[in-house]
Amino acid sequence: MTQTRSQWGSRLGFIMAAAGSAVGLGNIWKFPYMTGENGGGAFLVLYMICIVVFGLSLVIAELLIGRMAQKTPVAAFRETAGRGWSVVGGLAILTAFVILSFYIVVAGWTLAYTVFEATGSLSTMNSEALSATFKQLTGNPWQPVGYAGLFMLVCVAVVISGIGSGIERASKLLMPILFVLLVVLVVRAVTLPGAQAGIAFFIVPDFSKVTSDTVVAAIGQAFFSLSLGMGAMVTYGSYLSRERNLPVDALAVVGLDTLIAVLAGFMVLPAMFAAGLEPGDGGAGTTFLVLPAVFEAMPAGSLFGFVFFVLLAVAALTSAISLLEAVVCYLTDEFRIGRVAATVGTAVACLLLAIPSSLSFGPLAKHTLFGQKFFDLLDYVTTWIALPVGGILTALCVGWVLGPRAVTALTNQGRLAAPWAGVWLFVLRFIAPVGIGWILIQGLIK
Ligand code: PHE
């Protein structure tokens, strides 16, 4: 018990790590195609509103509860709010584990595509050949599992090294690299002939395209992108010293996450328009089916394609690390298991769960559970059920159970002006539970 808990070495280190968790496949793979499918500018506006209204308040709430307890989410909810609330933490850890298991499958594909681009094997392909390549990779029984395993190995190496010399150091190195790569690709995309139409589609809202599905998609995406409801932010908050100015740090994390999603939109949508494609083309497959062709049509296309997939892999890495850390922190805090054993054990178990997810694109494609492929089922249950349930319970817990105590902890040393704390509490008590409750219902109807 006398062992002191690890802490972030610097403010910048913490912000980079938390932003690294938030910035992931969600920003670069999911956000652009969701914007494309949901009418462009109008989706962007809705997304921003969700970030400001729910996202920021919940990021602060999650970081705060971790910081107050200095423990894993399970213990953090138990010690701050009471025994029964530890279920919220438990649900979060379980969700993190499950998300990690299919996140590494997609991350594995990005590694595979990095190799394809590096060897130039996509350079002469037309769209049929690209889709055959994608099917061949994802349908192969062992190759994608191998890539997922390789990806997991890198995560393990980072998480084993601990908070300061592992996660913080890796994030401080990787996040600036990610940013530079992204800016290079944005500049390339927006200067392509015909890109203007894509820029207009992205930033000029057309509200006639908004339906209730658009709103649900925007809230769900905001949550996933900010790493909420999965214990990641609570865990990262638990390594913060109580002196930190939390609202400002949270604002930086949320701002960076949003900035990167918007930049990804400026990269993907103009490039698609320039290549004569419709913004909704390819859907979730845009990244793997459509973008390689877009890159190949540009001068030095293989190089830009390679840079793009490296970018995606880096983004996925810092997010996967935070999911792994959430589970590892739980095992080390609650069961006093050593970090090395906890990390390796979690990684192996997760990889085993990744196998059926991966196989559901190939040999198991015809086997469905509740009418869905295994991969889709895990995605659905976590994103549309576990995540909103966790979000609502966290908001209620911090808003009602902790209430004034949370405000005191947040405004320590008068760092948050009282009116803002009042707004924050109001959002947690009323706006977030109602808003998120509504996506939960919509998700269940779907
Ligand atoms: N926010 C990450 C992304 O956008 C995903 C993630 C969710 C990571 C939850 C950690 C925890 O890809």
Side-chain angles (χ1 to χ4, degrees), residues 354-372:
I355 293 174
S357 276
S358 180
L359 292 183
S360 70
F361 291 91
L364 295 183
K366 301 226 160 50
H367 294 73
T368 55
L369 272 172
F370 304 106
Q372 297 202 56

Side-chain angles (χ1 to χ4, degrees), residues 376-403:
D376 296 335
L377 183 71
L378 295 189
D379 182 21
Y380 173 79
V381 172
T382 49
T383 311
W384 298 108
I385 301 176
L387 213 146
V389 169
I392 294 172
L393 292 174
T394 305
L396 292 175
C397 178
V398 178
W400 293 100
V401 182
L402 303 185

Side-chain angles (χ1 to χ4, degrees), residues 20-28 96 99 103 221 223-233 257 315-316 318-320 322-323 387:
S21 169
V23 174
L25 295 173
N27 303 59
I28 296 167
I99 296 225
Y103 204 81
Q221 172 63 15
F223 259 66
F224 185 80
S225 190
L226 290 173
S227 303
L228 290 169
M230 299 176 221
M233 288 298 167
D257 185 61
T318 48
S319 296
S322 72
L323 290 164
L387 213 146

Side-chain angles (χ1 to χ4, degrees), residues 142-355:
W142 55 269
Q143 197 187 10
V145 178
Y147 278 113
L150 184 66
F151 182 82
M152 189 55 127
L153 207 61
V154 182
C155 296
V156 167
V158 174
V159 172
I160 271 186
S161 314
I163 303 307
S165 39
I167 299 176
E168 184 170 345
R169 187 135 50 102
S171 308
K172 271 179 16 196
L173 173 75
L174 294 173
M175 292 307 286
I177 294 180
L178 179 142
F179 193 76
V180 172
L181 295 182
L182 186 56
V183 169
V184 168
L185 289 170
V186 169
V187 170
R188 175 67 280 204
V190 298
T191 50
L192 288 168
Q196 292 87 335
I199 300 174
F201 172 81
F202 185 43
I203 58 177
V204 181
D206 171 2
F207 289 104
S208 67
K209 293 192 184 136
V210 173
T211 63
S212 70
D213 281 356
T214 323
V215 182
V216 174
I219 308 183
Q221 172 63 15
F223 259 66
F224 185 80
S225 190
L226 290 173
S227 303
L228 290 169
M230 299 176 221
M233 288 298 167
V234 183
T235 304
Y236 276 13
S238 78
Y239 302 118
L240 272 177
S241 93
R242 296 200 172 92
E243 281 75 59
R244 261 335 139 52
N245 189 353
L246 201 55
V248 173
D249 289 8
L251 196 63
V253 172
V254 172
L256 281 170
D257 185 61
T258 310
L259 175 69
I260 304 252
V262 170
L263 285 176
F266 276 114
M267 163 180 69
V268 173
L269 294 165
M272 286 183 76
F273 273 80
L277 297 162
E278 288 294 315
D281 280 356
T286 304
T287 305
F288 300 98
L289 299 173
V290 179
L291 288 184
V294 171
F295 290 124
E296 290 315 329
M298 307 172 179
S302 290
L303 177 66
F304 286 109
F306 174 73
V307 169
F308 173 76
F309 285 107
V310 171
L311 167 77
L312 207 56
V314 168
L317 182 63
T318 48
S319 296
I321 285 170
S322 72
L323 290 164
L324 183 58
E325 174 60 30
V327 183
V328 167
C329 171
Y330 166 67
L331 295 173
T332 51
D333 275 7
E334 292 283 290
F335 304 104
R336 312 251 146 232
I337 299 174
R339 176 166 277 272
V340 175
T343 310
V344 174
T346 307
V348 170
C350 211
L351 203 54
L352 289 176
L353 188 61
I355 293 174

Side-chain angles (χ1 to χ4, degrees), residues 33-214:
Y33 86 76
M34 287 187 89
T35 309
E37 283 181 339
N38 287 291
F43 183 80
L44 178 63
V45 172
L46 287 175
Y47 178 76
M48 297 281 210
I49 294 174
C50 294
I51 293 281
V52 175
V53 176
F54 305 100
L56 180 61
S57 296
L58 271 149
V59 169
I60 295 177
E62 287 205 7
L63 290 172
L64 180 73
I65 216 168
R67 186 181 74 167
M68 283 169 83
Q70 305 274 306
K71 296 248 169 65
T72 169
V74 177
F77 278 96
R78 184 173 59 221
E79 286 173 20
T80 54
R83 259 209 166 273
W85 287 97
S86 62
V87 175
V88 184
L91 177 76
I93 301 299
L94 187 66
T95 313
F97 180 78
V98 173
I99 296 225
L100 184 58
S101 79
F102 67 82
Y103 204 81
I104 59 170
V105 174
V106 182
W109 299 345
T110 71
L111 285 187
Y113 270 75
T114 311
V115 174
F116 295 163
E117 292 282 6
T119 55
S121 66
L122 303 176
S123 56
T124 53
M125 288 187 181
N126 58 15
S127 62
E128 281 92 67
L130 279 171
S131 103
T133 305
F134 183 69
K135 285 214 183 79
Q136 223 165 45
L137 169 72
T138 57
N140 186 301
W142 55 269
Q143 197 187 10
V145 178
Y147 278 113
L150 184 66
F151 182 82
M152 189 55 127
L153 207 61
V154 182
C155 296
V156 167
V158 174
V159 172
I160 271 186
S161 314
I163 303 307
S165 39
I167 299 176
E168 184 170 345
R169 187 135 50 102
S171 308
K172 271 179 16 196
L173 173 75
L174 294 173
M175 292 307 286
I177 294 180
L178 179 142
F179 193 76
V180 172
L181 295 182
L182 186 56
V183 169
V184 168
L185 289 170
V186 169
V187 170
R188 175 67 280 204
V190 298
T191 50
L192 288 168
Q196 292 87 335
I199 300 174
F201 172 81
F202 185 43
I203 58 177
V204 181
D206 171 2
F207 289 104
S208 67
K209 293 192 184 136
V210 173
T211 63
S212 70
D213 281 356
T214 323

